[in-house]
Amino acid sequence: MPDTTTQTHRVSDELQLSWAGVTDRGRRRENNQDAFLVSFPLFVIADGMGGHAGGEIASQSTIARLEEMVAEGEVSDAAIQAALQRAVDDIHDHPETTDEGTGTTLTGAYLDRTDDGSARWTVLNIGDSRVYLARDDRLTQVTTDHSVVQELIASGKISPEEADGHPYSNVITRAVGASELVPPDYVSLDLRDGDRLVICSDGLTKELTDYGILHFLREHDDPGAAVDAMLDAALENGGRDNVTLIVVRVALNESSSAADESTSAIDDSSSTIDDSGE
């Protein structure tokens, strides 16, 4: 498999982002219903679902509308909502859309600005694809899955360890295109030097534990090398689904990093990984 290229963008004198993304059909699927977009300032993944070509229609329509939005120059919650509504209309109007629950997840982040002009991430999510934050050698899941299994975990009816083998493990409760559009959940994150975002479809998390993801981030600082290593591991572990992932790395100069050191949008007490894995 060829090496994935890392792209770099200097946002300002204080901030530089580097990123890489990759997608693969996996070892058991006939086609790839995932799609992704890495176009500064937006980094997103769509994991399609639906019979025949339905999943591909949903994911590709959603990514195409978001790509148009970036090209038009406005990336905001309101602009994303408008683009997703256009994508829903495209999905419903497509001649190959089926009645088998055609839709797609959408998960990712865009670089935003606070009222005082400082940079931050706005993380968005619909469905069960995920965004993780790697910070200070720990990994935190930023997004919350919109799935039946997550609701069962939240209610205490099953444990996280029971989720993967649960008969409803693939049933999601929100999607783009499957019904009336529901706005994404949004989470804001501050930026620190060395932070990495991992944006991935469930084809990755079916094959790698959180500790496995953290392991490959420890081994590979370069985003391109990290996504290639995680993809290879997911395929080697079975590749039961399409696998798509993006890694974005933050580099801040010393003065900017020191200024941000005292703040965090995630409670560090909830971000420790159990080194025993699952």
Side-chain angles (χ1 to χ4, degrees):
M1 183 179 297
D3 293 340
T4 300
T5 301
T6 296
Q7 301 178 63
T8 301
H9 179 79
R10 180 160 291 283
V11 180
S12 65
D13 291 341
E14 295 81 21
L15 172 62
Q16 178 175 288
L17 299 180
S18 55
W19 64 82
V22 67
T23 187
D24 192 277
R25 185 183 68 183
R27 293 188 168 172
R28 301 192 188 179
R29 301 291 189 181
E30 293 183 359
N31 58 350
N32 192 348
Q33 297 191 342
D34 287 1
F36 73 97
L37 177 64
V38 285
S39 182
F40 179 83
L42 181 66
F43 307 88
V44 288
I45 281 174
D47 178 356
M49 62 184 185
H52 189 48
E56 290 178 80
I57 293 165
S59 61
Q60 291 175 6
S61 297
T62 299
I63 292 299
R65 287 300 189 178
L66 290 169
E67 191 170 19
E68 287 178 3
M69 176 199 70
V70 174
E72 290 168 358
E74 181 187 356
V75 180
S76 64
D77 295 358
I80 288 171
Q81 183 77 1
L84 294 182
Q85 186 58 64
R86 290 192 289 271
V88 169
D89 295 340
D90 293 343
I91 294 165
H92 290 170
D93 292 342
H94 197 285
E96 294 185 69
T97 297
T98 71
D99 294 328
E100 300 177 44
T102 297
T104 183
T105 70
L106 179 71
T107 304
Y110 68 92
L111 193 70
D112 196 7
R113 294 282 175 180
T114 63
D115 291 340
D116 65 6
S118 59
R120 68 179 178 187
W121 289 116
T122 294
V123 175
L124 58 137
N125 181 56
I126 297 176
D128 64 350
S129 297
R130 293 178 178 175
V131 176
Y132 290 91
L133 172 67
R135 174 180 288 176
D136 297 332
D137 202 37
R138 287 174 285 188
L139 191 75
T140 301
Q141 183 179 332
V142 179
T143 55
T144 299
D145 295 351
H146 299 139
S147 67
V148 170
V149 162
Q150 180 58 43
E151 291 180 357
L152 293 172
I153 293 170
S155 65
K157 295 180 179 178
I158 65 171
S159 69
E161 291 73 23
E162 295 172 303
D164 188 44
H166 195 278
Y168 293 152
S169 61
N170 291 324
V171 180
I172 63 175
T173 55
R174 290 196 212 173
V176 179
S179 59
E180 294 267 338
L181 179 64
V182 178
D185 288 344
Y186 294 100
V187 177
S188 294
L189 298 176
D190 67 316
L191 275 64
R192 291 194 192 176
D193 185 52
D195 279 356
R196 281 176 287 178
L197 292 183
V198 179
I199 305 164
C200 60
S201 64
D202 67 345
L204 181 75
T205 53
K206 285 176 182 176
E207 311 299 353
L208 289 181
T209 64
D210 290 3
Y211 185 72
I213 294 171
L214 183 60
H215 164 77
F216 289 109
L217 292 174
R218 287 169 172 166
E219 292 289 314
H220 303 283
D221 190 58
D222 176 71
V227 299
D228 284 344
M230 283 188 268
L231 174 60
D232 287 347
L235 296 177
E236 187 173 320
N237 289 346
R240 291 171 286 174
D241 200 350
N242 308 145
V243 183
T244 305
L245 67 147
I246 300 166
V247 172
V248 188
R249 189 183 188 282
V250 174
L252 292 167
N253 69 21
E254 291 184 4
S255 60
S256 179
S257 180
D260 289 339
E261 191 66 26
S262 62
T263 61
S264 174
I266 286 192
D267 180 0
D268 285 343
S269 66
S270 65
S271 62
T272 302
I273 299 296
D274 178 358
D275 281 5
S276 64
E278 290 185 2

